[in-house]
Amino acid sequence: MERRPRIDGHTLLAGVIGWPVAHSRSPLMHNFWLEQRGINGAYVPLPVVPGAFDVAVRGLQAAGFRGVNVTIPHKESAYRIVDRLDRSAQRSGSVNTLVFAPDGRIEGYSTDGDGFVANVEAHGIPVRGGRALLLGAGGAARAIAASLLDRDVDVVVANRTRARADALAAQLAGITVIDWAGADELLPSCRFVVNTTSIGMEGGADATLPLDLSRADTGLVVCDIVYVPRQTALLRQAAERGLRTVDGLGMLIHQAGLGFEKWFGATPDIGPEVEALLDADLHRAHAG
Ligand code: ATR
């Protein structure tokens, strides 16, 4: 029988706020780490309807929670509610991790960009310099762009709606914008290509990316932040060409580490065990 965590008066509490939130793998991941580290803590899903975010956050803070992760559709509300914005949050314009500090203040962090970079580096691929082509201009793209710029990567963004890419470039100095249809031409000069759109996601956009990988340099690293399915059409095509690929599951795991450290005071083990756990769970959920 599965061992249940003991909940008592000393249990450290955290969770994830989203709507819907039932699909989130964060509870599985954090509770695995808590048990692995022998920490008296619990991490719960917190379904909060749009409009109720502020009430929920104040309530959780008053109830002694250490903090929360924030996911769709509340990341902008999270950005507004914080008292102290970490640089990562300022740069990415969003917050996915709230920490309720002992002085009563709410601290906001964005861990998506650094989670992305840490995951690529965990694959043995250093992220420093070179050019990255980012497809998409949503919240995830901005966070990733900020982290890549910090590592002296030349960031080029292509988005279906060009105006959105232009807006992103206006917020982050150093980004170049090209047309969606022009993405292909840039491939030979790129070291990384990163899909941050919902193309390739199960139940996501029914479209294809404007990329012909036959033009890519053999050293190109192809990354996707989609993790359902883990092997998207883009990654499959890249692998067939012998290009190195990085899927989105590792980013999900790496972005979670900072929150765990802040709330529970320990560094989680970002190794093959947690990856296997999530991989098995995704397969169970999407089988048949
Ligand atoms: P997130 O915050 O997770 O990045 P988002 O803000 O909804 O999500 O952004 C989704 C991205 O996927 C956008 O870049 C979007 O392009 P638009 O700005 O043109 O909407 C992109 N996207 C979604 N469906 C697409 C499609 N069918 N073709 C091309 N891009 C698509």
Side-chain angles (χ1 to χ4, degrees), residues 72 136-141 159-161 164 180 196-199 205-207 225:
I72 293 168
N159 192 49
R160 174 182 60 177
T161 310
R164 224 175 151 195
W180 182 242
T196 75
T197 75
S198 49
I199 293 175
D206 186 18
I225 70 165

Side-chain angles (χ1 to χ4, degrees), residues 9-156:
H10 302 287
T11 303
L12 304 175
L13 297 171
V16 53
I17 294 183
W19 184 266
V21 79
H23 66 280
S24 172
R25 262 65 186 192
S26 292
L28 181 66
M29 184 164 43
H30 283 278
N31 288 311
F32 169 79
W33 282 330
L34 286 167
E35 187 160 342
Q36 193 184 44
R37 288 275 181 263
I39 294 169
N40 181 1
Y43 183 105
V44 292
L46 299 160
V48 173
V49 292
F53 180 80
D54 288 19
V55 170
V57 167
R58 300 287 177 207
L60 292 165
Q61 187 184 24
F65 270 59
R66 306 293 294 239
V68 286
N69 280 131
V70 180
T71 186
I72 293 168
H74 297 300
K75 286 188 185 181
E76 282 169 24
S77 304
Y79 187 83
R80 283 196 297 272
I81 207 171
V82 299
D83 302 303
R84 279 195 290 261
L85 274 180
D86 179 67
R87 179 177 179 274
S88 61
Q90 282 170 21
R91 295 265 288 158
S92 66
S94 70
V95 161
N96 71 347
T97 305
L98 294 180
V99 175
F100 303 146
D103 66 359
R105 301 283 173 86
I106 301 178
E107 297 170 354
Y109 302 81
S110 169
T111 64
D112 287 330
D114 286 350
F116 170 82
V117 169
N119 180 41
V120 174
E121 295 201 319
H123 283 70
I125 301 164
V127 180
R128 180 66 59 189
R131 172 176 285 166
L133 170 61
L134 249 59
L135 299 162
R142 178 163 168 188
I144 291 170
S147 290
L148 290 175
L149 288 167
D150 283 348
R151 286 160 183 82
D152 299 321
V153 175
D154 172 22
V155 176
V156 182

